[in-house]
Amino acid sequence: RATQERCVSAIASAAMAAKGQFARYFEQVYGLMRVLLQQTGDKELVLRARAMECVGIMCLAVGRDGCSHIVQECTSFAFQGLQLQLPELREYTYGFFAQLAEVLGAELAPLLPTLLPFALKSLDDNDTMFWDGAAETGASAVAKLFEGKAAAGGSDDDDDVDDDDDDDDSPLTVRTAMLDEKAAAAHCIGACAQHLKAAFL
């Protein structure tokens, strides 16, 4: 699977570099990506995420006229992916919609009532920081961290020296995959606002 993921990423890079010249390969490659976009097994979801990213880049490469015939099917796969429990898949799916907004502009507007609730839910999710195994909001978790350091009499200088030794003992756990998902959701909303213009209102 790791090799497959790298191959999909390589195809995405090739599409980005080739731009309009990728049109001759679009149908064949999309046929392969289409299979990956329907995977639901836990071990295949990361590969599905890479395929979602690849299709978005392919659409950017060939433009509206080259990809309009697959948009309905792709967005259906994308919305199904947003319901699966993998932050990386949701991250790349938001990236796909951001790219689609750039390609389609106001034509993406009918999808906003379905897309935006997903994006806003990702932004509102508090399960990104954990304190001793308990979920905390960002502000609460950071406040507890500083309270712990103050109680221990720690200083910034000490932290610089001991960071490598203390990392494993820190009671604060940050789920970076969730943060990446949030960043992608925010970017997606921004891209929709930018490219849909008045249709976003």
Short mmCIF file of all heavy atoms in Angstrom, two decimals, residues 35-87:
data_model
loop_
_atom_site.label_atom_id
_atom_site.label_comp_id
_atom_site.label_asym_id
_atom_site.label_seq_id
_atom_site.Cartn_x
_atom_site.Cartn_y
_atom_site.Cartn_z
N VAL A 35 -11.72 3.49 -8.71
CA VAL A 35 -11.75 2.27 -7.90
C VAL A 35 -11.29 2.57 -6.48
O VAL A 35 -11.91 2.13 -5.49
CB VAL A 35 -10.84 1.19 -8.53
CG1 VAL A 35 -10.76 -0.04 -7.63
CG2 VAL A 35 -11.37 0.81 -9.91
N LEU A 36 -10.24 3.36 -6.34
CA LEU A 36 -9.70 3.69 -5.02
C LEU A 36 -10.67 4.55 -4.21
O LEU A 36 -10.72 4.44 -2.98
CB LEU A 36 -8.36 4.41 -5.17
CG LEU A 36 -7.25 3.63 -5.89
CD1 LEU A 36 -5.98 4.46 -5.96
CD2 LEU A 36 -6.99 2.29 -5.21
N LEU A 37 -11.42 5.40 -4.89
CA LEU A 37 -12.35 6.29 -4.20
C LEU A 37 -13.55 5.57 -3.61
O LEU A 37 -14.33 6.17 -2.87
CB LEU A 37 -12.84 7.38 -5.17
CG LEU A 37 -11.80 8.40 -5.61
CD1 LEU A 37 -12.38 9.34 -6.65
CD2 LEU A 37 -11.26 9.18 -4.42
N GLN A 38 -13.68 4.28 -3.90
CA GLN A 38 -14.80 3.51 -3.36
C GLN A 38 -14.37 2.55 -2.26
O GLN A 38 -15.18 1.78 -1.76
CB GLN A 38 -15.48 2.74 -4.50
CG GLN A 38 -16.05 3.65 -5.58
CD GLN A 38 -16.67 2.86 -6.73
OE1 GLN A 38 -17.73 2.25 -6.60
NE2 GLN A 38 -15.99 2.86 -7.87
N GLN A 39 -13.09 2.62 -1.88
CA GLN A 39 -12.58 1.74 -0.83
C GLN A 39 -13.07 2.20 0.54
O GLN A 39 -13.06 3.39 0.84
CB GLN A 39 -11.06 1.70 -0.85
CG GLN A 39 -10.47 1.23 -2.16
CD GLN A 39 -10.98 -0.14 -2.57
OE1 GLN A 39 -10.87 -1.10 -1.82
NE2 GLN A 39 -11.54 -0.22 -3.77
N THR A 40 -13.50 1.26 1.36
CA THR A 40 -13.98 1.60 2.71
C THR A 40 -13.26 0.82 3.81
O THR A 40 -13.51 1.06 4.99
CB THR A 40 -15.49 1.34 2.82
OG1 THR A 40 -15.75 -0.04 2.49
CG2 THR A 40 -16.28 2.24 1.88
N GLY A 41 -12.38 -0.09 3.45
CA GLY A 41 -11.63 -0.83 4.46
C GLY A 41 -10.66 0.07 5.20
O GLY A 41 -10.09 1.00 4.62
N ASP A 42 -10.47 -0.19 6.47
CA ASP A 42 -9.60 0.67 7.29
C ASP A 42 -8.20 0.80 6.70
O ASP A 42 -7.60 1.88 6.74
CB ASP A 42 -9.50 0.10 8.71
CG ASP A 42 -10.81 0.23 9.48
OD1 ASP A 42 -11.66 1.03 9.05
OD2 ASP A 42 -10.98 -0.47 10.50
N LYS A 43 -7.68 -0.29 6.15
CA LYS A 43 -6.32 -0.26 5.63
C LYS A 43 -6.22 0.44 4.28
O LYS A 43 -5.11 0.76 3.83
CB LYS A 43 -5.79 -1.69 5.50
CG LYS A 43 -5.63 -2.40 6.85
CD LYS A 43 -5.08 -3.81 6.69
CE LYS A 43 -4.89 -4.50 8.03
NZ LYS A 43 -4.36 -5.88 7.88
N GLU A 44 -7.36 0.68 3.64
CA GLU A 44 -7.34 1.32 2.32
C GLU A 44 -7.71 2.80 2.36
O GLU A 44 -7.64 3.48 1.33
CB GLU A 44 -8.32 0.59 1.38
CG GLU A 44 -7.83 -0.75 0.86
CD GLU A 44 -7.98 -1.84 1.90
OE1 GLU A 44 -8.94 -1.79 2.69
OE2 GLU A 44 -7.12 -2.75 1.92
N LEU A 45 -8.09 3.31 3.53
CA LEU A 45 -8.62 4.68 3.58
C LEU A 45 -7.54 5.73 3.29
O LEU A 45 -7.83 6.78 2.70
CB LEU A 45 -9.27 4.95 4.93
CG LEU A 45 -10.61 4.23 5.17
CD1 LEU A 45 -11.20 4.64 6.50
CD2 LEU A 45 -11.59 4.51 4.04
N VAL A 46 -6.31 5.48 3.71
CA VAL A 46 -5.25 6.45 3.41
C VAL A 46 -4.99 6.48 1.90
O VAL A 46 -4.80 7.56 1.32
CB VAL A 46 -3.94 6.09 4.17
CG1 VAL A 46 -2.81 7.02 3.71
CG2 VAL A 46 -4.16 6.23 5.67
N LEU A 47 -5.04 5.33 1.27
CA LEU A 47 -4.89 5.28 -0.19
C LEU A 47 -6.05 6.01 -0.86
O LEU A 47 -5.86 6.72 -1.86
CB LEU A 47 -4.84 3.82 -0.65
CG LEU A 47 -4.60 3.57 -2.14
CD1 LEU A 47 -3.30 4.22 -2.61
CD2 LEU A 47 -4.57 2.06 -2.41
N ARG A 48 -7.24 5.86 -0.31
CA ARG A 48 -8.40 6.60 -0.83
C ARG A 48 -8.18 8.11 -0.69
O ARG A 48 -8.53 8.88 -1.58
CB ARG A 48 -9.66 6.17 -0.07
CG ARG A 48 -10.92 6.95 -0.46
CD ARG A 48 -12.15 6.37 0.20
NE ARG A 48 -13.32 7.19 -0.07
CZ ARG A 48 -14.58 6.78 0.09
NH1 ARG A 48 -14.82 5.55 0.52
NH2 ARG A 48 -15.59 7.58 -0.17
N ALA A 49 -7.61 8.52 0.44
CA ALA A 49 -7.32 9.94 0.65
C ALA A 49 -6.37 10.47 -0.42
O ALA A 49 -6.57 11.56 -0.97
CB ALA A 49 -6.73 10.15 2.05
N ARG A 50 -5.33 9.71 -0.71
CA ARG A 50 -4.37 10.12 -1.74
C ARG A 50 -5.04 10.21 -3.12
O ARG A 50 -4.75 11.11 -3.91
CB ARG A 50 -3.21 9.14 -1.79
CG ARG A 50 -2.39 9.08 -0.52
CD ARG A 50 -1.64 10.37 -0.28
NE ARG A 50 -0.85 10.30 0.93
CZ ARG A 50 -0.12 11.30 1.41
NH1 ARG A 50 -0.10 12.45 0.77
NH2 ARG A 50 0.57 11.16 2.52
N ALA A 51 -5.95 9.27 -3.38
CA ALA A 51 -6.67 9.28 -4.65
C ALA A 51 -7.57 10.51 -4.75
O ALA A 51 -7.68 11.13 -5.82
CB ALA A 51 -7.48 8.01 -4.81
N MET A 52 -8.19 10.88 -3.63
CA MET A 52 -9.04 12.08 -3.62
C MET A 52 -8.22 13.32 -3.94
O MET A 52 -8.63 14.19 -4.71
CB MET A 52 -9.68 12.21 -2.24
CG MET A 52 -10.83 13.20 -2.15
SD MET A 52 -12.41 12.49 -2.66
CE MET A 52 -12.56 13.13 -4.33
N GLU A 53 -7.03 13.39 -3.33
CA GLU A 53 -6.13 14.51 -3.60
C GLU A 53 -5.73 14.52 -5.08
O GLU A 53 -5.72 15.58 -5.73
CB GLU A 53 -4.88 14.38 -2.74
CG GLU A 53 -3.81 15.42 -3.02
CD GLU A 53 -2.50 15.13 -2.32
OE1 GLU A 53 -2.12 13.94 -2.24
OE2 GLU A 53 -1.87 16.08 -1.85
N CYS A 54 -5.43 13.35 -5.61
CA CYS A 54 -4.98 13.24 -6.99
C CYS A 54 -6.07 13.70 -7.96
O CYS A 54 -5.79 14.43 -8.92
CB CYS A 54 -4.59 11.79 -7.29
SG CYS A 54 -3.93 11.53 -8.94
N VAL A 55 -7.30 13.31 -7.72
CA VAL A 55 -8.39 13.69 -8.61
C VAL A 55 -8.60 15.21 -8.60
O VAL A 55 -8.85 15.82 -9.64
CB VAL A 55 -9.69 12.95 -8.24
CG1 VAL A 55 -10.88 13.50 -9.02
CG2 VAL A 55 -9.54 11.46 -8.51
N GLY A 56 -8.48 15.81 -7.43
CA GLY A 56 -8.60 17.26 -7.35
C GLY A 56 -7.54 17.97 -8.19
O GLY A 56 -7.84 18.94 -8.91
N ILE A 57 -6.32 17.48 -8.11
CA ILE A 57 -5.23 18.06 -8.89
C ILE A 57 -5.43 17.81 -10.38
O ILE A 57 -5.17 18.68 -11.22
CB ILE A 57 -3.87 17.48 -8.41
CG1 ILE A 57 -3.58 17.98 -7.00
CG2 ILE A 57 -2.75 17.88 -9.37
CD1 ILE A 57 -2.37 17.33 -6.35
N MET A 58 -5.94 16.62 -10.72
CA MET A 58 -6.24 16.32 -12.11
C MET A 58 -7.29 17.29 -12.67
O MET A 58 -7.18 17.77 -13.81
CB MET A 58 -6.74 14.88 -12.25
CG MET A 58 -5.65 13.82 -12.08
SD MET A 58 -6.31 12.14 -11.81
CE MET A 58 -7.40 11.95 -13.23
N CYS A 59 -8.30 17.57 -11.88
CA CYS A 59 -9.34 18.52 -12.31
C CYS A 59 -8.76 19.92 -12.53
O CYS A 59 -9.11 20.59 -13.51
CB CYS A 59 -10.47 18.57 -11.27
SG CYS A 59 -11.48 17.07 -11.20
N LEU A 60 -7.88 20.33 -11.63
CA LEU A 60 -7.21 21.62 -11.82
C LEU A 60 -6.40 21.62 -13.11
O LEU A 60 -6.36 22.62 -13.83
CB LEU A 60 -6.28 21.91 -10.63
CG LEU A 60 -6.85 22.64 -9.43
CD1 LEU A 60 -5.75 22.85 -8.40
CD2 LEU A 60 -7.46 23.97 -9.82
N ALA A 61 -5.75 20.51 -13.39
CA ALA A 61 -4.87 20.43 -14.55
C ALA A 61 -5.64 20.57 -15.86
O ALA A 61 -5.22 21.29 -16.77
CB ALA A 61 -4.09 19.11 -14.53
N VAL A 62 -6.78 19.89 -15.96
CA VAL A 62 -7.50 19.86 -17.25
C VAL A 62 -8.58 20.93 -17.34
O VAL A 62 -9.11 21.18 -18.43
CB VAL A 62 -8.11 18.47 -17.51
CG1 VAL A 62 -7.02 17.40 -17.50
CG2 VAL A 62 -9.19 18.13 -16.47
N GLY A 63 -8.95 21.53 -16.21
CA GLY A 63 -9.95 22.59 -16.25
C GLY A 63 -11.38 22.07 -16.30
O GLY A 63 -11.63 20.86 -16.38
N ARG A 64 -12.30 23.01 -16.26
CA ARG A 64 -13.72 22.67 -16.19
C ARG A 64 -14.17 21.77 -17.33
O ARG A 64 -14.86 20.77 -17.12
CB ARG A 64 -14.57 23.95 -16.18
CG ARG A 64 -16.06 23.69 -16.13
CD ARG A 64 -16.86 24.94 -16.42
NE ARG A 64 -18.28 24.64 -16.46
CZ ARG A 64 -18.89 24.06 -17.47
NH1 ARG A 64 -18.20 23.69 -18.54
NH2 ARG A 64 -20.20 23.82 -17.43
N ASP A 65 -13.81 22.11 -18.55
CA ASP A 65 -14.28 21.35 -19.71
C ASP A 65 -13.76 19.91 -19.70
O ASP A 65 -14.42 19.01 -20.21
CB ASP A 65 -13.86 22.04 -21.01
CG ASP A 65 -14.60 23.35 -21.22
OD1 ASP A 65 -15.66 23.55 -20.58
OD2 ASP A 65 -14.11 24.19 -22.00
N GLY A 66 -12.60 19.72 -19.10
CA GLY A 66 -12.01 18.38 -19.10
C GLY A 66 -12.48 17.48 -17.98
O GLY A 66 -12.26 16.27 -18.03
N CYS A 67 -13.13 18.07 -16.96
CA CYS A 67 -13.51 17.25 -15.81
C CYS A 67 -14.99 17.32 -15.43
O CYS A 67 -15.43 16.62 -14.53
CB CYS A 67 -12.67 17.63 -14.59
SG CYS A 67 -13.08 19.25 -13.89
N SER A 68 -15.75 18.17 -16.11
CA SER A 68 -17.14 18.39 -15.69
C SER A 68 -17.96 17.10 -15.69
O SER A 68 -18.91 16.94 -14.91
CB SER A 68 -17.81 19.43 -16.60
OG SER A 68 -17.78 19.01 -17.95
N HIS A 69 -17.61 16.13 -16.56
CA HIS A 69 -18.40 14.91 -16.66
C HIS A 69 -18.20 13.96 -15.48
O HIS A 69 -18.98 13.01 -15.31
CB HIS A 69 -18.05 14.17 -17.97
CG HIS A 69 -16.62 13.74 -18.07
ND1 HIS A 69 -15.59 14.65 -18.19
CD2 HIS A 69 -16.05 12.50 -18.03
CE1 HIS A 69 -14.44 13.98 -18.25
NE2 HIS A 69 -14.69 12.69 -18.16
N ILE A 70 -17.17 14.20 -14.66
CA ILE A 70 -16.94 13.30 -13.53
C ILE A 70 -17.26 13.97 -12.19
O ILE A 70 -17.15 13.35 -11.13
CB ILE A 70 -15.49 12.76 -13.52
CG1 ILE A 70 -14.48 13.90 -13.43
CG2 ILE A 70 -15.22 11.94 -14.77
CD1 ILE A 70 -13.83 14.01 -12.08
N VAL A 71 -17.65 15.24 -12.24
CA VAL A 71 -17.83 16.00 -11.00
C VAL A 71 -18.93 15.40 -10.12
O VAL A 71 -18.74 15.25 -8.90
CB VAL A 71 -18.15 17.48 -11.32
CG1 VAL A 71 -18.68 18.21 -10.07
CG2 VAL A 71 -16.91 18.18 -11.84
N GLN A 72 -20.05 15.06 -10.69
CA GLN A 72 -21.16 14.54 -9.89
C GLN A 72 -20.77 13.26 -9.16
O GLN A 72 -21.02 13.09 -7.97
CB GLN A 72 -22.38 14.29 -10.76
CG GLN A 72 -23.60 13.81 -9.96
CD GLN A 72 -24.86 13.68 -10.80
OE1 GLN A 72 -24.86 14.02 -11.98
NE2 GLN A 72 -25.93 13.19 -10.22
N GLU A 73 -20.12 12.36 -9.88
CA GLU A 73 -19.70 11.10 -9.26
C GLU A 73 -18.63 11.34 -8.20
O GLU A 73 -18.69 10.78 -7.10
CB GLU A 73 -19.17 10.15 -10.32
CG GLU A 73 -18.73 8.80 -9.75
CD GLU A 73 -18.25 7.85 -10.82
OE1 GLU A 73 -17.23 8.16 -11.50
OE2 GLU A 73 -18.88 6.79 -10.99
N CYS A 74 -17.67 12.19 -8.51
CA CYS A 74 -16.57 12.46 -7.57
C CYS A 74 -17.05 13.12 -6.29
O CYS A 74 -16.59 12.78 -5.20
CB CYS A 74 -15.53 13.36 -8.24
SG CYS A 74 -14.24 12.42 -9.05
N THR A 75 -17.96 14.07 -6.43
CA THR A 75 -18.45 14.74 -5.22
C THR A 75 -19.27 13.78 -4.36
O THR A 75 -19.26 13.87 -3.13
CB THR A 75 -19.28 15.98 -5.57
OG1 THR A 75 -20.32 15.62 -6.49
CG2 THR A 75 -18.42 17.06 -6.21
N SER A 76 -19.93 12.82 -5.00
CA SER A 76 -20.65 11.80 -4.23
C SER A 76 -19.67 10.96 -3.43
O SER A 76 -19.88 10.71 -2.23
CB SER A 76 -21.46 10.91 -5.18
OG SER A 76 -22.09 9.86 -4.47
N PHE A 77 -18.57 10.52 -4.06
CA PHE A 77 -17.54 9.78 -3.33
C PHE A 77 -16.96 10.64 -2.21
O PHE A 77 -16.68 10.14 -1.11
CB PHE A 77 -16.41 9.37 -4.28
CG PHE A 77 -16.80 8.35 -5.32
CD1 PHE A 77 -16.21 8.36 -6.57
CD2 PHE A 77 -17.74 7.37 -5.04
CE1 PHE A 77 -16.55 7.42 -7.54
CE2 PHE A 77 -18.09 6.41 -5.99
CZ PHE A 77 -17.49 6.45 -7.24
N ALA A 78 -16.77 11.92 -2.49
CA ALA A 78 -16.16 12.82 -1.51
C ALA A 78 -17.04 12.97 -0.27
O ALA A 78 -16.56 12.90 0.87
CB ALA A 78 -15.90 14.18 -2.15
N PHE A 79 -18.33 13.17 -0.48
CA PHE A 79 -19.23 13.31 0.67
C PHE A 79 -19.32 12.02 1.47
O PHE A 79 -19.43 12.06 2.70
CB PHE A 79 -20.62 13.75 0.20
CG PHE A 79 -20.70 15.21 -0.17
CD1 PHE A 79 -21.25 15.60 -1.38
CD2 PHE A 79 -20.23 16.18 0.69
CE1 PHE A 79 -21.33 16.94 -1.73
CE2 PHE A 79 -20.29 17.53 0.36
CZ PHE A 79 -20.85 17.91 -0.86
N GLN A 80 -19.26 10.89 0.80
CA GLN A 80 -19.21 9.62 1.52
C GLN A 80 -17.94 9.54 2.37
O GLN A 80 -17.97 9.06 3.51
CB GLN A 80 -19.28 8.46 0.53
CG GLN A 80 -20.61 8.31 -0.18
CD GLN A 80 -20.54 7.34 -1.36
OE1 GLN A 80 -19.62 6.52 -1.44
NE2 GLN A 80 -21.50 7.44 -2.26
N GLY A 81 -16.82 10.02 1.81
CA GLY A 81 -15.56 9.98 2.54
C GLY A 81 -15.56 10.87 3.77
O GLY A 81 -14.92 10.54 4.78
N LEU A 82 -16.27 11.98 3.71
CA LEU A 82 -16.33 12.88 4.86
C LEU A 82 -17.04 12.24 6.05
O LEU A 82 -16.88 12.70 7.19
CB LEU A 82 -17.03 14.19 4.48
CG LEU A 82 -16.25 15.13 3.58
CD1 LEU A 82 -17.09 16.34 3.19
CD2 LEU A 82 -14.95 15.59 4.25
N GLN A 83 -17.81 11.20 5.80
CA GLN A 83 -18.53 10.52 6.88
C GLN A 83 -17.71 9.39 7.51
O GLN A 83 -18.12 8.82 8.51
CB GLN A 83 -19.84 9.97 6.34
CG GLN A 83 -20.77 11.04 5.79
CD GLN A 83 -22.04 10.47 5.19
OE1 GLN A 83 -22.81 9.78 5.87
NE2 GLN A 83 -22.27 10.72 3.91
N LEU A 84 -16.56 9.09 6.91
CA LEU A 84 -15.71 8.03 7.45
C LEU A 84 -14.77 8.60 8.50
O LEU A 84 -14.39 9.76 8.47
CB LEU A 84 -14.92 7.37 6.31
CG LEU A 84 -15.78 6.72 5.23
CD1 LEU A 84 -14.90 6.17 4.11
CD2 LEU A 84 -16.65 5.60 5.81
N GLN A 85 -14.38 7.75 9.43
CA GLN A 85 -13.63 8.22 10.61
C GLN A 85 -12.12 8.19 10.38
O GLN A 85 -11.39 7.46 11.05
CB GLN A 85 -14.01 7.37 11.83
CG GLN A 85 -15.48 7.43 12.18
CD GLN A 85 -15.96 8.86 12.41
OE1 GLN A 85 -15.35 9.61 13.17
NE2 GLN A 85 -17.05 9.24 11.76
N LEU A 86 -11.67 9.01 9.44
CA LEU A 86 -10.23 9.13 9.23
C LEU A 86 -9.91 10.60 8.94
O LEU A 86 -10.27 11.12 7.89
CB LEU A 86 -9.76 8.26 8.06
CG LEU A 86 -8.25 8.31 7.82
CD1 LEU A 86 -7.51 7.57 8.94
CD2 LEU A 86 -7.87 7.72 6.47
N PRO A 87 -9.25 11.28 9.87
CA PRO A 87 -8.94 12.69 9.67
C PRO A 87 -8.19 12.98 8.38
O PRO A 87 -8.44 13.99 7.72
CB PRO A 87 -8.10 13.05 10.90
CG PRO A 87 -8.53 12.08 11.95
CD PRO A 87 -8.83 10.81 11.20
#
